[in-house]
């Protein structure tokens, strides 16, 4: 797949703001600062389609990006942002549940995990939740430029185990900085879209 066209179609905090549920969607979930927005920019080859920030909690809305007029990538707000107020955290859960549980076009939620660290308790919970809704199977290991080749293999195995991935589940290392790994992820997107044809 080559992404030729990418546009922000909607920014939502509630279902009435979602675009029409008429396309396949692939969403990105993960803790704040893991690199969701950076990954979107990498895949679409755009410097600032999605806002990237050094301070966590940047994306607080559900952002729908229309890709090649064929499917959508949905950038979900990050979790585990310690400074977020209680009311914001509660609002987050409700907002995520509404989207994940009702969206007909949603095929898979790519769970992003920082390749340097063991998944957090919330990462594990999120992945279990995705498994329950059959939206699991695709993990993206971000910031691969920060580890050596040896650590990459070691940490990939460690994260697969911590999330209890099945042998057929994918865990794909990527680096937005070095611009590596995205072809593997795009190939995965092709496969997901192909299943619907
Ligand atoms: P929220 O919107 O807060 O949920 O964060 P996010 O998951 O969208 O993360 P974002 O893409 O804004 O990136 C967070 C920080 O990590 C930024 O400082 C990025 O430059 C950095 N970052 C993202 N991807 C990579 C990567 O592949 N390598 C390195 N070294 N840094 C990265
Ligand atoms: Mg973001």
């Amino acid at each position: 797949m080559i992404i030729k066209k990418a546009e922000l179609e909607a920014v939502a905090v509630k279902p009435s703001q979602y675009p029409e549920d008429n396309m396949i969607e692939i969403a990105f979930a993960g803790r704040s600062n893991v690199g969701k927005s950076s990954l979107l920019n990498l895949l679409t080859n755009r410097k600032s389609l999605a806002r990237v920030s050094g301070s966590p909690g940047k994306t607080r809305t559900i952002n729908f990006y229309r890709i090649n007029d064929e499917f959508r990538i949905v950038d979900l707000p990050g979790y585990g942002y310690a400074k977020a107020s209680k009311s914001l955290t509660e609002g987050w859960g409700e907002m995520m549940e509404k989207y994940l549980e009702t969206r007909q076009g949603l095929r898979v939620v790519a769970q992003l995990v920082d390749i340097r660290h063991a998944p957090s308790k919330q990462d594990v919970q999120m992945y279990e939740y995705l498994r329950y809704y059959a939206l699991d199977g695709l993990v993206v290991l971000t910031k691969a430029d920060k580890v050596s080749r040896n650590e990459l293999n070691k940490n990939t195995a460690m994260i697969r185990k911590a999330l209890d991935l099945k042998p057929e589940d994918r865990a794909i290392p990527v680096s937005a900085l070095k611009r590596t790994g995205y072809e593997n992820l795009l190939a995965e997107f092709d496969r997901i879209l192909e299943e619907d044809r």
Side-chain angles (χ1 to χ4, degrees), residues 37 51 59 75:
S37 298
R51 202 79 61 80
T59 312
D75 190 8

Side-chain angles (χ1 to χ4, degrees), residues 32-38 52-53 57-59 143 145-146 176:
S32 286
N33 226 38
V34 71
K36 298 177 293 299
S37 298
S38 301
V52 169
S53 168
K58 189 72 202 170
T59 312
K143 312 195 184 184
D145 53 277
K146 300 254 198 186

